[in-house]
Amino acid sequence: MPVNNSNSLLKGLAARDPRAIGKAISIVENNGQGVTEILAGLDRKCIEEVLVLGITGPPGAGKSTLTSSMISQLRSDGKRVGIIAIDPSSPISGGAILGDRVRMMEHALDTDVVVRSMATRGRLGGLCASAGATVRIMAASGCEVIIIETVGVGQSEMDIVRLADITLMVLAPGFGDDIQAMKAGLLEVADFLVVNKSDLGGAEALVMDMKQIFATKEKESDIARVLQSIASENTGIKELLDAVQRFTTYLTINNLKKQRRKKAMEGETLDWVFEMLRPTLTRKLVEQTGQEQIDPRVRAKELIQQMLPINYHR
Amino acid sequence: MSIPYRVLIGKPGLDGHDRGAKFIARALRDEGFEVIYTGIRRTAAEIAATAIQEDVDVVGLSSLSGAHLRLFPEVIKELKDRGGADIPVLGGGVIPDEDKEQLLAAGLRAIFTPGTPAATIIQSFSDACKQQ
Ligand code: B12
Ligand SMILES: Nc1nc2c(ncn2[C@@H]2O[C@H](COP(=O)(O)OP(=O)(O)O)[C@@H](O)[C@H]2O)c(=O)[nH]1
Ligand SMILES: [Mg+2]
């Protein structure tokens, strides 16, 4: 029985019907029929209450494995969990192999684990354009915790910090070059640093190194921010989630979760404004003739002034 | 820009031959498909539940070990049980000619055996996706 109109999809979401959840995400991702009705009709209270965790870190550090072991722990705590696993689209073909799921298949038959694999579809920054909307759809379908696994290419993946309430950076021994590249970047803004593969040599040294970087943050909230795990053996996961839980409480009582969310919503709104203006602006630009000699920045200003009453001082 | 098709490539049963499945997955990616790969040794139920969650347009199954007559129809049944009877299923691997008819009768849309050119297989995925 095909579920298609947005009303029955919204009902299906509230009833936690897997097919409805999958369809709703596809419609939003593909900008299909009913996208506005679906997004406007989502339960705002669920969205407000959900906890969004971002998992980032270099490919191979163990993000997917860690996610799977976090799912196990959250499930034994009785939580319904959503997972958004993002992999890059090929810039040449536009296609993608979405393989994070391979490490999460033990949860495939658990109807309270909602997984969606998504491709970046040309978007930079480590997420896909519809990651935020997918979080909200999953929340409306009753998910209490949502984990987002980013592409994991490193330095420039700042989008996750904005979308997630709490960002976890996963590292492992032997990723020295990646770590150097991230020192001025994601490492500075991550809330937690997880040293995974602590069964391997070099983990202790990495922890010491990271403790130094996270010292100020640890002091500010009095919660350990550098933790160790062996994701493949489910070791250290309970401790990690306990720390995350304490940090969530810290964010909530200091009104920081609300502030982070507000910024996230504003940022995403702005992204969509630019995205929606793009086709019109592109068309106007293509229609222009004889403007090739004008400096692009000057030309941009003139183009915007034709459309909006903006006064530029520079 | 057109919307990429989403497909799932699954390996039901105990069969560990994954070269063909990975070959198909890469070939599809190179033609612009988004491919969800489940890895080896999955049950029919796991593959069907994943296909529903991921809202794929088509499911592709690979089997080289001889268990296709049992496992492929089982995936179709599991899909049906989950409200996914409309999702087309393609199959491939080491499958004797005399088994093909039986699989097609059980609801598989097409079966491809060793030596089939990638282009033929991709065309079949495209056609099946288009009908969705
Ligand atoms: C390589 C190979 C192996 C490798 C596998 C490596 C790997 N990771 O995949 C190794 C050495 C590990 C291996 C082991 C075994 N193998 Co072996 N293996 C082969 C061999 C020689 C080639 C398979 C291959 O990789 N082909 C290349 C790929 C690209 O082709 P393909 O998978 O057929 O895919 C094509 C099509 O079939 C189709 N296709 C495939 N999947 C899909 C999916 C979809 C959706 C679509 C549309 C199309 C499609 O498209 C592809 C392109 O045309 C075959 C013989 C053969 N000629 O097929 C035997 C064969 C499959 N193996 C066989 C056997 C018996 C075994 C073992 C049991 C041997 C043993 N006693 O230990 C083990 C079991 C392994 C296991 N755990 O399951 C038998 C199976 C017999 C049967 N079906 O009754 C075969 C047929 C050999 C034979 N003639 O006896 N094997
Ligand atoms: N030794 C060890 N290996 C691990 C651990 N966690 C994950 N792995 C392995 O590391 C590899 C990459 O893991 P994956 O989760 O796919 O990493 P991702 O690319 O960051 O998502 C896999 O082979 C895992 O089995 C761990 O704690 N210890
Ligand atoms: Mg991964």
Side-chain angles (χ1 to χ4, degrees):
Chain A
M1 37 161 172
V3 262
N4 33 35
N5 79 56
S6 25
N7 247 333
S8 66
L9 271 182
L10 283 167
K11 277 203 197 102
L13 281 186
R16 308 184 171 189
D17 166 27
R19 193 104 214 251
I21 300 169
K23 288 273 174 223
I25 296 172
S26 295
I27 288 175
V28 167
E29 186 178 33
N30 298 333
N31 197 22
Q33 190 91 50
V35 57
T36 308
E37 290 80 357
I38 291 170
L39 291 175
L42 297 174
D43 184 323
R44 299 333 277 187
K45 191 160 168 55
C46 290
I47 294 169
E48 192 185 315
E49 283 172 0
V50 73
L51 176 66
V52 185
L53 303 179
I55 310 255
T56 186
K63 295 182 294 300
S64 299
T65 314
L66 185 74
T67 300
S68 186
S69 56
M70 286 168 72
I71 299 170
S72 304
Q73 181 64 44
L74 289 163
R75 290 297 299 128
S76 71
D77 296 341
K79 302 264 193 236
R80 180 170 158 91
V81 194
I83 292 88
I84 304 172
I86 303 168
D87 276 314
S89 301
S90 154
I92 298 164
S93 73
I97 292 183
L98 309 174
D100 293 319
R101 250 205 117 106
V102 174
R103 312 227 182 270
M104 305 175 197
M105 286 304 286
E106 64 180 285
H107 307 288
L109 293 181
D110 184 343
T111 50
D112 284 317
V113 178
V114 182
V115 184
R116 178 73 175 210
S117 310
M118 301 181 89
T120 52
R121 297 193 177 176
R123 162 95 167 214
L124 304 172
L127 298 182
C128 52
S130 297
T134 304
V135 163
R136 298 188 286 277
I137 289 171
M138 286 182 173
S141 83
C143 292
E144 299 160 273
V145 180
I146 291 166
I147 304 177
I148 306 170
E149 179 184 340
T150 76
V151 172
V153 279
Q155 208 177 3
S156 59
E157 282 203 331
M158 294 292 189
D159 284 5
I160 188 62
V161 178
R162 192 182 79 188
L163 178 58
D165 298 318
I166 297 175
T167 303
L168 286 70
M169 161 75 86
V170 183
L171 292 177
F175 282 76
D177 292 348
D178 295 289
I179 295 167
Q180 286 313 319
M182 281 181 296
K183 275 200 170 150
L186 261 176
L187 260 188
E188 293 179 309
V189 289
D191 298 301
F192 285 94
L193 193 291
V194 185
V195 175
N196 188 40
K197 306 198 186 184
S198 283
D199 51 323
L200 304 182
E204 294 302 328
L206 183 53
V207 170
M208 300 262 277
D209 197 15
M210 291 301 133
K211 281 249 179 214
Q212 223 165 12
I213 296 179
F214 278 74
T216 334
K217 285 185 189 171
E218 294 206 329
K219 245 186 241 139
E220 133 206 323
S221 58
D222 200 23
I223 296 166
R225 304 288 196 101
V226 180
L227 292 123
Q228 283 184 264
S229 68
I230 308 171
S232 49
E233 293 167 18
N234 285 317
T235 303
I237 308 306
K238 189 169 174 3
E239 293 76 3
L240 174 61
L241 282 167
D242 281 348
V244 166
Q245 186 50 55
R246 288 178 58 204
F247 189 59
T248 308
T249 309
Y250 167 82
L251 289 180
T252 310
I253 51 183
N254 291 292
N255 208 29
L256 294 170
K257 187 180 166 194
K258 262 212 173 102
Q259 283 176 31
R260 286 184 178 197
R261 281 287 176 91
K262 184 169 179 285
K263 260 175 85 178
M265 293 298 223
E266 286 168 0
E268 197 184 325
T269 307
L270 258 188
D271 282 354
W272 283 115
V273 168
F274 294 133
E275 199 53 43
M276 289 172 190
L277 282 176
R278 191 182 296 275
T280 314
L281 288 171
T282 309
R283 201 175 52 241
K284 282 196 186 288
L285 206 62
V286 173
E287 282 166 3
Q288 285 184 343
T289 48
Q291 311 251 324
E292 289 76 15
Q293 297 305 316
I294 301 173
D295 185 85
R297 183 166 165 168
V298 177
R299 195 175 161 192
K301 198 171 111 181
E302 288 172 5
L303 189 65
I304 292 173
Q305 274 172 337
Q306 286 172 22
M307 297 178 62
L308 299 167
I310 298 176
N311 270 318
Y312 286 98
H313 299 294
R314 280 174 223 280
Chain B
M1 232 182 62
S2 67
I3 294 161
Y5 293 130
R6 282 170 73 82
V7 301
L8 177 143
I9 300 295
K11 281 205 57 73
L14 299 176
D15 177 24
H17 293 90
D18 60 359
R19 276 170 40 184
K22 286 180 170 167
F23 169 80
I24 301 286
R26 280 192 296 268
L28 287 165
R29 178 206 49 202
D30 293 344
E31 289 301 320
F33 289 73
E34 291 179 358
V35 186
I36 289 126
Y37 179 56
T38 64
I40 55 171
R41 301 203 175 92
R42 300 307 171 199
T43 66
E46 287 171 345
I47 290 174
T50 302
I52 297 285
Q53 258 194 355
E54 297 281 1
D55 189 34
V56 294
D57 301 308
V58 171
V59 169
L61 302 174
S62 176
S63 170
L64 280 78
S65 67
H68 48 270
L69 279 182
R70 182 171 58 82
L71 291 169
F72 287 6
E74 208 177 307
V75 172
I76 290 184
K77 181 190 169 292
E78 292 286 347
L79 277 171
K80 204 181 208 165
D81 288 351
R82 292 172 164 77
D86 57 312
I87 302 174
V89 180
L90 305 179
V94 175
I95 294 166
D97 279 341
E98 59 267 30
D99 293 351
K100 272 191 191 173
E101 286 308 313
Q102 215 173 317
L103 289 174
L104 295 176
L108 272 105
R109 198 186 146 98
I111 298 289
F112 297 97
T113 47
T116 314
T120 310
I121 292 171
I122 287 160
Q123 188 60 50
S124 181
F125 271 96
S126 290
D127 293 344
C129 286
K130 245 173 240 154
Q131 284 180 11
Q132 277 296 290

